[in-house]
Amino acid sequence: MLKIALRSVLAHRLRFVLCTVAVVLGIAFVGGAMVFTDTLSTALKKQYAGSTADITITPVDPVEARTGPPATLAAAVVGQVAAVPGVADADAQLLVSDVQIRKPDGTPIDTYGLPTYGAGWPHAVRTSPFRLLDGKQPWGTAELGLDESTASKAGYSIGDQVRIVTATQPVTATLTAITTAAQAGPAAGAPLVTFDPATAQLVLLGKPGWTSIAVALKPGADTDQVRAAIAKTVGDAFKVRTAAQVEADGESALDTTFGGFSSILLMFAGLALFVGAFLIVNTFAMQVAQRSRELAMLRAIGASRGQVIGTVLAEAVVIGLIGSTLGLLLGIGVAAGITFGYEELGAAIPSAGLQITPATIIACYVIGALLTVGAAYPAARRAGRLPPMAALRDGATIPERSLLVRLLAGAFLLLMALVLYLIGDYASGMPGAVLIGLSSAMALLGIVMTSPLVSRYVVRGLMAPFGHKAPVTLGRRNAERNPRRTSATASALMISVALISGLVVIGASAKASIDANVAAAIGTSDLVVSSSDPDTFSPQVADRIRQVSGIAGVHQVRQQDGKAGDLPVKVTGVGDGTLSGPITVGLDSGSLDGLATGQAVVPRTMAKSLHVSAGQSITLTTTTGKHSLTVAGILTPNRQLNAVVISLATYEKLGGAPADSLLYVDVAEGTSTAQASTAILDGLKDYPSIQVRDQQAYAAQARGPVDAVTTVIGMLLALAILIAILGIVNTLALGVVERTREIGLLRAIGMDRPQLRRMLRVESIAVTLLGALLGLAVGVLTAAAIQNVLVDDGLSELDIPVLQLLGAVLVSGVIGVLAAVWPSRRAARLNVLQAIATE
C-alpha cells in the first residue's frame, strides 16, 4: 500500500504542490524560531561562562520597576559584607540604564533595541565587569569612558569630546578610556559609558547610592556557606546570588531581549499552519472524490477498509515529510538571516554558530506529519467507506454524510459564542475583551461548520448582480453544487479577513481614542515637552523653559512604577495647578484638595480593581518601601492619568527620582506655538533628546505604537491571506481536473475559451466574496464589542473605517480574479477530444 501511495503522489504531482507549500510555510517559521532560539541560548551560555564576581548582592526591588530610578543600597552595606568571614574583597558598583550617547554630529547612536548603560568605575580589578583597553580611568565630570564597539561605530577616539544625556543632566566630557566587557551581565554587548564612582552617582542617579556589590572570596572559601552568611548579615532586603545564579538570571534577561523574535516567528507559524490546514483538508477531500473509482477498485481486488484509509494517510505522510524537510531548510535560512541582520546592525549576539538540534528536527517533522495526517484523516475515512461494487460503474462517488451532526455542532458553538459574548459584555475591561475574543473564535468555528447550509443561497445572492449569461450561471452553479467544498475554501479566507477587519477597526478606534483622550488630557496646554531616550530628563529643563520669553507657565509631571496592594500601577507626581488647566480631569467623587496634604487621587478603573472609594486608604509600594495613602478623589477615565496621582512634594517623599517625564507648557498671548517651540529648543541645545510638540504632533506621536503593532500584525495576516489564496487556486485547479470531461463537453457544444475562463473566474469570485463578507461581518462586530467593553480602559471611541473595509472587499474580488488565472488557463488549454474521453 505504501508503494501505491508513493506512485499516486508521483503520478499527480501538481495535485499536491500547493498542499506541500502550506506545510513548508508553517514549518519554516517553526524551524526558524527553534533554530534562532537554540542559537541564542547557546550563545548566551557561552557569553555567561566567565563571571568575575564570586557573589553578587543587589537590593530587592519591591515593585520590579521598569521605569523610574533603580533600587539602590547604601555604602554602609558594603562594610557589612566585607566583614563576613571568607570575603576577600567587596566592591560597590553602579549600573544604570536610560543613558543616551550622541554621535559627533549630535544624533543619537543606534542601539537597535538594546538599552544604553552608564556605570561607575570599579574599585577592584578582580571583580570588574569591564576592562580598560586603551587610555586611562576617567576622573570627574570632565572625563568619561566608552566601550570599544560604541566608540568604533560612532567614530570616537581618545581625546574626543563626547556628549551624553542622562535622566538627571546632560554631560559633555573628554573620552579618556576605551573599555571591553570582562563579564557577562545586563550590559553585556550593550553600549556602556563609564565615570569615576563619585561622578557616576552624581550624573547617573543624582544622589548617593550603589546598585550592587561584587564579592571576591578568599582562597578555599566555600561559596555556598559565604553566600548564606552574607544573606543572613544583610537580611531579606537584598538578593545574594552566586556566580552560577547570576549567569542563569543574566541569560534569561538577554533571552527576553532577543527572544521576542522567536515568539513572532511562532505566531507566524501557528497562523500559517492553521490556515494551511483548511487547504490540506480541501485538497484531500477533492483528490479522494476524484479517485473514487480507483479506491473502489482496490476494495474490489481485496484491500480492506483499513488499507484504503492507510493508503490515503500514507500520501499525507509523504507530503508532510517533504513539506517538513523543505520547511526546515527554509527555517534554517530564516534563522541565519535574522542572525546576520543583527550582526549587520551592530547588535552584539555572541557568536556560537547556528544550532540545529535533534529536538528541532524532530519537532518539525512531527508537526508537519501530524498536520497533514490530521487534515487528511476525514477524507481517508470517507475513502474507506467506498463499497467494492462502486468500481464496476461509471461516476462512482463517495457517499456523503448528512450535514445534521455538523450543523448541530455548529449551532452549539454559535450558542456558546453568544453566551461568552454576554458574559464578556457584563464583565467589561480586559477580562471582558478576552472573553469576547474567545466568543469570536467560537463564532468563526460555528460559521465554518454551518456555512454549507447557507453558502448556496449566499453565493446565489452575491452573483445576482453579474447577470444570467451562461458562463456566469455555470460558474455560480459550480460554486453551489458542493457547499462543503465551497464553504471549506471560503473558510480560510473568512478567518483571515475577520482578523484583518477586526484589526483595522480596533486600530482605527485606538487612534481615534488617542486623539480624543490627548485633546482632553492636554486641556489648555499649548506645548508638551518630553524626551525620546532617555524617557526622563533633568528638572533643569523646566527651569530653563520658564526663562524663555513668551512662556506663561510650565507644569511638571513625574512618573515611576509602583504597586497598589498587589496591583502594578504607575505613580504620577504633578505640580501645583497642573490638574486645573493643562491636564483636564473629571471627578466621580471626592476632590483634588487632598493632593496638597499628601493624599492621592486614582482613576475609576483602578478604584474598582482595588475596591476603594474616596476617603479610604491604599498601600502604595515604591522602590523605597510601602506607604499608606488616603484616596482624596476618584477620577473619570483619562489616558494621561491612568495612575496613582500625587503631588510632586509627596512624590519626592516616596523616593521618586528628581527627573521629569513630561512638561506642559502654556504660551503667553501674542506668541505663536511655533515661535515658542523654536525658542525652547534653542535654549535646550545641550539636551538633544528633548522633543517639543503641539497637541496634534503629540497625538501623532502617541499613535506611533498603534501603527507599529498594526504593521507587524498586518504582515502576519498577509501570510494568512497568501495561504488562503493558495487554497482557492488549489480548489479551482483540482476542480478543473475533476470536471475535465464536463469542460470538454462544454467546449464541444460551443463554449469558447474566454467564456470558459469567465466561468472559472465567476466561481472564484463567488468563493472569495463569500469568505470576505462573512469574515468582514465577524471582524467588525467583534472589534465593536471589544471597544464597547474597553471604554473605561482608554478605547473610548469607535471608528469603523468604511472606505478601508470596502477596499478590503474589492481587494477580495481582485484576489478571486487573480486566483482563477492559472486554473482557467489550464482548463482552456485542455484538448477537447481527450477531455471528453476522460473517465
Side-chain angles (χ1 to χ4, degrees), residues 274-275 277-278 405-418 420 436-452 487-488 491-492 494-496 498 774-775 778 782:
F274 178 70
V275 179
F278 286 92
V405 175
R406 177 172 176 164
L407 294 177
L408 289 176
F412 175 75
L413 286 174
L414 290 174
L415 179 62
M416 291 303 299
L418 177 61
L420 272 181
I436 289 176
L438 293 174
S439 166
S440 175
M442 278 193 173
L444 284 171
L445 291 176
I447 292 172
V448 168
M449 300 191 75
T450 57
S451 57
S487 61
S491 293
M494 176 189 70
I495 292 170
S496 302
L774 287 175
V778 174
T782 300

Side-chain angles (χ1 to χ4, degrees), residues 430-506:
M430 190 53 66
V434 172
L435 289 174
I436 289 176
L438 293 174
S439 166
S440 175
M442 278 193 173
L444 284 171
L445 291 176
I447 292 172
V448 168
M449 300 191 75
T450 57
S451 57
L453 180 67
V454 298
S455 63
R456 179 177 301 169
Y457 308 102
V458 174
V459 167
R460 190 173 301 171
L462 291 173
M463 293 295 101
F466 290 85
H468 299 284
K469 292 184 178 180
V472 175
T473 301
L474 289 172
R476 172 178 59 79
R477 289 181 177 175
N478 285 337
E480 292 176 5
R481 73 164 66 174
N482 194 327
R484 295 175 190 261
R485 180 191 306 166
T486 299
S487 61
T489 306
S491 293
L493 186 61
M494 176 189 70
I495 292 170
S496 302
V497 172
L499 291 170
I500 289 176
S501 58
L503 171 69
V504 167
V505 173
I506 290 177

Side-chain angles (χ1 to χ4, degrees), residues 167 535-540 542 556-558 648 657-663:
D535 296 330
T536 56
F537 49 92
S538 171
Q540 296 174 12
Q556 296 168 265
V557 177
R558 297 176 182 175
L648 282 182
D660 295 327
S661 301
L662 285 175
L663 299 177

Side-chain angles (χ1 to χ4, degrees), residues 44-51 184 247:
L44 291 174
K45 289 178 181 178
K46 178 180 178 181
Q47 179 78 0
Y48 275 85
S51 177
E247 291 167 10

Side-chain angles (χ1 to χ4, degrees), residues 239-437:
K239 185 187 298 184
V240 184
R241 296 173 295 167
T242 63
Q245 292 170 328
V246 170
E247 291 167 10
D249 292 345
E251 179 181 342
S252 176
L254 276 184
D255 188 30
T256 300
T257 301
F258 292 103
F261 282 97
S262 298
S263 300
I264 292 173
L265 290 174
L266 288 174
M267 287 174 60
F268 274 83
L271 189 60
L273 293 172
F274 178 70
V275 179
F278 286 92
L279 191 159
I280 298 169
V281 167
N282 229 20
T283 298
F284 275 92
M286 294 183 71
Q287 66 98 358
V288 166
Q290 292 166 16
R291 296 167 54 205
S292 296
R293 191 172 186 186
E294 172 193 332
L295 296 172
M297 184 69 73
L298 290 176
R299 293 295 313 279
I301 61 175
S304 65
R305 177 176 295 184
Q307 287 176 313
V308 171
I309 293 175
T311 300
V312 177
L313 294 182
E315 295 176 17
V317 170
V318 171
I319 292 173
L321 293 177
I322 294 173
S324 298
T325 301
L326 296 176
L328 177 61
L329 294 175
L330 184 58
I332 294 170
V334 170
I338 293 173
T339 304
F340 177 76
Y342 257 106
E343 292 173 353
E344 286 297 302
L345 292 174
I349 296 181
S351 176
L354 285 179
Q355 302 297 306
I356 306 170
T357 64
T360 298
I361 298 173
I362 293 171
C364 288
Y365 279 104
V366 168
I367 292 173
L370 288 179
L371 173 71
T372 50
V373 170
Y377 183 70
R381 285 194 61 188
R382 291 176 59 215
R385 293 201 302 270
L386 269 171
M389 295 302 294
L392 303 180
R393 60 178 184 267
D394 292 334
T397 59
I398 298 176
E400 295 279 1
R401 275 191 174 185
S402 169
L403 287 172
L404 180 61
V405 175
R406 177 172 176 164
L407 294 177
L408 289 176
F412 175 75
L413 286 174
L414 290 174
L415 179 62
M416 291 303 299
L418 177 61
V419 171
L420 272 181
Y421 164 76
L422 294 175
I423 296 173
D425 188 59
Y426 176 79
S428 73
M430 190 53 66
V434 172
L435 289 174
I436 289 176

